[in-house]
């Protein structure tokens, strides 16, 4: 059965760029789902089987850190791996993300090779 | 390393890794906050221990060229895709600068990007701020990256 990734970013442009980078990285997802903020992401995770989440941090409505915290409190989805993909990769922020279960962080700007390296270990 | 050099390195990294264009820097200068004509600007606010803004100002034709390369599809007018792409450029520039000014990530807060587009507009200069603007060229097109910042006591 093919794998599914959820891309969470308030920028439509960045969601397209991440999708393209996944293809360029040679990571074969059958389904690419998208969400524009943390609230949408929680709804998508509740309605779909998702193998991995790539999430921005700075987003309106519900930030990436708030999304991680809410996800960690929901037994049905808490074990789905999340990698942060953001301009915000300061040590304090990444430590907080990891305390809520984030499995890694990719800094924007990124290359397909970096995405492959980070996601390869999770899939 | 001065702020201008950080701007050069961050801008070149973003353009080379994600847009596949070579952004050649010119000589940094202090912009007089003059009117920007037929342009689009992406602006990120800085708050916390350092206040100010980081902005990328692109003439409309430059913005179309950059967005076409960024998205890998033809863009012929300043539409939502262009506004979103310019906002994301500002966002990445702000993040790169923050990683230099605030390695822990907790002293400076970045706003979500704002985007302005019009036939003529100005971006005000912050009082008592240190400012630097770096001009860049991409092929025959030009754009500017501007930093205005003030340390809070």
């Amino acid at each position: 059965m093919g794998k599914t990734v959820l891309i969470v970013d308030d920028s439509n442009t960045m969601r397209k760029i991440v999708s393209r980078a996944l293809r360029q990285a040679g990571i074969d997802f059958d389904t690419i789902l998208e969400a524009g903020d943390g609230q949408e992401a929680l709804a998508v995770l509740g309605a779909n089987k998702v193998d991995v989440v790539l999430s921005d941090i700075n987003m309106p409505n519900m930030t990436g850190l708030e999304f991680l915290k809410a996800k960690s409190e929901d037994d049905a989805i808490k074990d789905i791996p999340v990698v942060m993909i953001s301009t915000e990769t300061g040590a304090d922020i990444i430590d907080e993300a990891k305390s809520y279960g984030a499995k890694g962080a990719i800094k924007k700007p990124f290359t397909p090779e970096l995405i492959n390296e980070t996601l390869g270990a999770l899939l | 390393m001065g702020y201008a050099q950080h701007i050069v390195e961050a801008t070149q990294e973003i353009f080379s890794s994600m847009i596949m264009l070579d952004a050649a820097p010119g000589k940094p200068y202090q912009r007089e906050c003059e009117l920007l004509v037929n342009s689009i600007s992406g602006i990120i606010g800085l708050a916390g221990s350092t206040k100010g803004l980081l902005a990328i100002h692109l003439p409309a034709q430059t913005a179309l060229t950059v967005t076409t390369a960024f998205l890998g599809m033809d863009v012929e007018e300043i539409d939502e895709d262009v506004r979103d792409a310019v906002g994301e450029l500002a966002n990445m520039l702000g993040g790169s600068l923050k990683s230099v000014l605030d390695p822990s990530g907790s002293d400076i807060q970045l706003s979500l990007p704002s985007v302005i587009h019009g036939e003529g507009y100005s971006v005000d200069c912050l009082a008592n701020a240190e400012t630097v603007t770096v001009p860049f060229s991409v092929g025959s097109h030009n754009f500017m990256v501007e930093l205005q910042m003030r340390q809070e006591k």
Side-chain angles (χ1 to χ4, degrees), chain A residues 11-13 17 20 88 92, chain B residues 18 70 84 88 98 104 106:
Chain A
S11 164
N12 181 46
T13 296
I17 299 294
R20 186 175 67 190
E88 292 269 11
D92 290 356
Chain B
M18 299 197 72
F70 200 10
D84 196 45
E88 197 55 40
K98 177 176 171 174
S104 73
S106 55

Side-chain angles (χ1 to χ4, degrees), chain A residues 23-102:
Chain A
R23 290 194 299 274
Q24 290 171 334
I27 302 175
D28 188 21
F29 287 106
D30 272 13
T31 306
I32 297 178
L33 302 173
E34 297 184 10
D37 61 36
Q39 285 179 343
E40 286 185 19
L42 290 172
V44 171
L45 290 182
N48 298 272
K49 181 186 176 303
V50 173
D51 295 286
V52 65
V53 180
L54 291 172
S55 178
D56 190 15
I57 292 178
N58 285 335
M59 295 182 289
N61 302 324
M62 180 184 277
T63 68
L65 293 178
E66 291 167 342
F67 159 65
L68 275 174
K69 185 172 185 296
K71 175 181 160 296
S72 72
E73 294 167 351
D74 184 336
D75 286 344
I77 59 175
K78 70 179 183 183
D79 292 330
I80 300 170
V82 179
V83 171
M84 311 315 288
I85 185 162
S86 176
T87 60
E88 292 269 11
T89 52
D92 290 356
I93 291 171
I94 297 309
D95 285 349
E96 187 175 359
K98 288 184 174 175
S99 75
Y100 294 135

Side-chain angles (χ1 to χ4, degrees), chain A residues 9-14 16-17 20 24 56 58-60 87-93 107-112, chain B residues 13-14 17-18 69-73 81 84-85 88 91-92 95-96 98-99 102-106 108 110 112:
Chain A
D9 200 306
D10 55 314
S11 164
N12 181 46
T13 296
M14 191 48 65
K16 289 178 184 173
I17 299 294
R20 186 175 67 190
Q24 290 171 334
D56 190 15
N58 285 335
M59 295 182 289
T87 60
E88 292 269 11
T89 52
D92 290 356
I93 291 171
K107 185 178 185 305
K108 300 175 186 173
F110 52 78
T111 61
Chain B
E13 182 188 13
I14 291 164
S17 64
M18 299 197 72
F70 200 10
L71 295 180
M73 63 184 215
D81 281 336
D84 196 45
E88 197 55 40
N91 196 30
M92 287 190 285
S96 293
K98 177 176 171 174
S99 69
D102 176 21
S104 73
S106 55
I108 299 175
L110 299 180
L112 293 169

Side-chain angles (χ1 to χ4, degrees), chain B residues 61-79:
Chain B
Q61 194 55 50
T62 305
L64 297 178
T65 299
V66 168
T67 303
T68 293
F70 200 10
L71 295 180
M73 63 184 215
D74 285 337
V75 179
E76 295 178 348
E77 61 180 354
I78 303 294
D79 59 10

